[in-house]
Amino acid sequence: MTWVQLAMDLAGVFFFAMSGSLLAARRRFDIVGSLMLGTCVGLGGGILRDLVIGQGVPNAFASPVYLLPPVLATVLVYRFAASEHRYAGALTVFDAAGMALFCISGTQIALEAGLNPVAAAILGLISAVGGGVIRDVVANEDPQLFHPRGLYAIAALLGAGLTSAAESIGWMNAGTGLGIAVLVFALRMVSLRYR
Amino acid sequence: MTWVQLAMDLAGVFFFAMSGSLLAARRRFDIVGSLMLGTCVGLGGGILRDLVIGQGVPNAFASPVYLLPPVLATVLVYRFAASEHRYAGALTVFDAAGMALFCISGTQIALEAGLNPVAAAILGLISAVGGGVIRDVVANEDPQLFHPRGLYAIAALLGAGLTSAAESIGWMNAGTGLGIAVLVFALRMVSLRYR
Amino acid sequence: MTWVQLAMDLAGVFFFAMSGSLLAARRRFDIVGSLMLGTCVGLGGGILRDLVIGQGVPNAFASPVYLLPPVLATVLVYRFAASEHRYAGALTVFDAAGMALFCISGTQIALEAGLNPVAAAILGLISAVGGGVIRDVVANEDPQLFHPRGLYAIAALLGAGLTSAAESIGWMNAGTGLGIAVLVFALRMVSLRYR
């Protein structure tokens, strides 16, 4: 894993952990519940991915650095508490940001593990939506994945597919990655507004 | 894995995917939500099984052909939409069919991976009911597994146990397998009617 | 795994299985549903742990002896049925006992698998709370993990951290283990009473 990939992965963990801590705050869990839910969401999708590619101990357990983003997210949410309405909006933004990063890093990690391009894109999709599904299922909410409003799985699958294609034809670099992430994030946010 | 096993496994994936897409239709998810739920249900039990036996990358990711049944199921459900009442009945039938196939193929795959006969039967049971539990949990329904009405786990465990026994004494062949599948399916459907 | 560890692990499985069977009884599942939920809860946390450390087939499947505690728990709950109120109290006690044992055995097994002390403590925490989260999610309850009332994750994390520290400095023995288990159990039970 390169430094760029690690930074992207940690940023994705942080964004998802923020979405978990925000949901915890909206549901009035205490700070420990917030840390637990943030950690589940932030690390859940990646652990699922690492279990599927069978790489031995998942990154989240091998490197303690993965525990920092959920702690940071919990502290931020509890330090800057806001109105319930703002929680919901911020949750969606952080969730979209996490998804935009994880569909790329998940696909790349799956390709490096030797999966074929189609399977790698599917696993990228699972990394990208897995954490959010765990968040909503554990907190007894209807998963965002199934809301008819807004493109969610489609956006993640598009990002994962583009990543898989770009890697296959050798076009993947920091610029391409950034472009895909921005596209996925924009698609998700715009679709929520105009549908 | 032989061709017969692959065909059975794919048929099981299709049946479970149909149950997921039907639930998605009943819950008014859109077509993407239907594809997601169908894929979760169709592939979830098998991925769980493959993770437990530790065979490396689960079949569902190694062979892209496993993605076809969920796509087919989604198309069929959205093409031939029917009344809500018919959804519920069809869901139960497809779920029972998937269960009848997976309790056999799950047990066989576990035995081939070297598990002892008892553990193989338990893993067959988990393959058979895992997808359905994932479906109901993710969609926030009470799992069919726990409904007091109708034999569910018992039927799956009977099928898995018979498969394990038949393999151990060398009586397993296409006829025995078909017999077990029909028995499990019939037991499930009849128990729903007369209890 | 030593005999002491196996005994502790089986006792933890039994306590969690009791909590699952008690919830099943309260929710009026039948005896099969009770056995299923008890097995999920009793074995879920450990299977999760074994998948993460990548040790091949999880203990729960490798040794059929792990199936006995859930069977025993189901029989006990259905033989000595009591009032709904007593279910809830007993559920909490058994859940706390399972948690107290699993935070220790989970951490030890993770350390033996070569995880660093911090990761081992986190995995101990996951073993200790995983089964209960599965129980509550599958039965559509709000997870105890997130209830603001009573220390839950904190108690489990403390036990896992103390175990990891004691192992690292070579102070772990039967007495230390018993002391940690009693401390975690007491912390959980007392926090429920005075908060």
Side-chain angles (χ1 to χ4, degrees), chain B:
Chain B
M1 197 186 264
T2 65
W3 279 103
V4 175
Q5 281 182 327
L6 180 64
M8 265 181 58
D9 217 28
L10 288 174
V13 170
F14 172 72
F15 293 144
F16 272 129
M18 284 295 293
S19 79
S21 291
L22 284 164
L23 180 59
R26 198 172 70 186
R27 296 284 301 273
R28 305 193 186 290
F29 296 169
D30 64 2
I31 194 163
V32 180
S34 168
L35 184 59
M36 290 295 118
L37 190 58
T39 308
C40 278
V41 184
L43 303 182
I47 290 175
L48 219 60
R49 176 198 66 210
D50 293 347
L51 288 180
V52 166
I53 61 179
Q55 67 149 30
V57 176
N59 291 341
F61 289 95
S63 331
V65 68
Y66 276 90
L67 300 170
L68 294 183
V71 172
L72 182 61
T74 299
V75 170
L76 285 176
V77 167
Y78 274 72
R79 182 71 187 73
F80 302 102
S83 71
E84 282 212 10
H85 183 260
R86 284 185 51 193
Y87 284 154
L91 196 163
T92 310
V93 174
F94 281 111
D95 185 72
M99 189 186 76
L101 291 183
F102 268 26
C103 68
I104 299 173
S105 66
T107 306
Q108 287 181 314
I109 289 169
L111 283 170
E112 275 165 33
L115 268 68
N116 65 61
V118 174
I122 301 291
L123 197 54
L125 166 66
I126 291 177
S127 313
V129 305
V133 170
I134 293 173
R135 176 192 62 223
D136 298 336
V137 164
V138 165
N140 250 329
E141 308 259 311
D142 264 339
Q144 291 220 11
L145 181 60
F146 302 131
H147 286 192
R149 199 171 144 268
L151 302 174
Y152 194 78
I154 287 283
L157 187 55
L158 178 71
L162 286 176
T163 302
S164 193
E167 289 277 4
S168 300
I169 57 179
W171 283 11
M172 197 67 187
N173 55 41
T176 324
L178 187 66
I180 296 173
V182 168
L183 176 68
V184 171
F185 181 77
L187 195 58
R188 168 71 178 148
M189 296 313 295
V190 169
S191 75
L192 276 172
R193 196 163 289 263
Y194 293 102
R195 197 168 152 178

Side-chain angles (χ1 to χ4, degrees), chain A residues 87-98:
Chain A
Y87 284 155
L91 196 163
T92 310
V93 173
F94 281 112
D95 185 72

Side-chain angles (χ1 to χ4, degrees), chain A residues 79-152:
Chain A
R79 181 72 189 70
F80 303 102
S83 71
E84 282 213 12
H85 183 260
R86 284 185 52 194
Y87 284 155
L91 196 163
T92 310
V93 173
F94 281 112
D95 185 72
M99 189 187 76
L101 291 183
F102 268 25
C103 68
I104 299 173
S105 66
T107 306
Q108 287 181 313
I109 289 169
L111 282 170
E112 276 166 33
L115 267 69
N116 64 60
V118 174
I122 302 290
L123 198 55
L125 166 65
I126 292 177
S127 313
V129 304
V133 170
I134 293 173
R135 177 191 63 222
D136 298 336
V137 165
V138 165
N140 250 327
E141 308 259 311
D142 263 338
Q144 291 220 12
L145 181 59
F146 302 131
H147 286 192
R149 196 169 145 270
L151 301 174
Y152 194 78

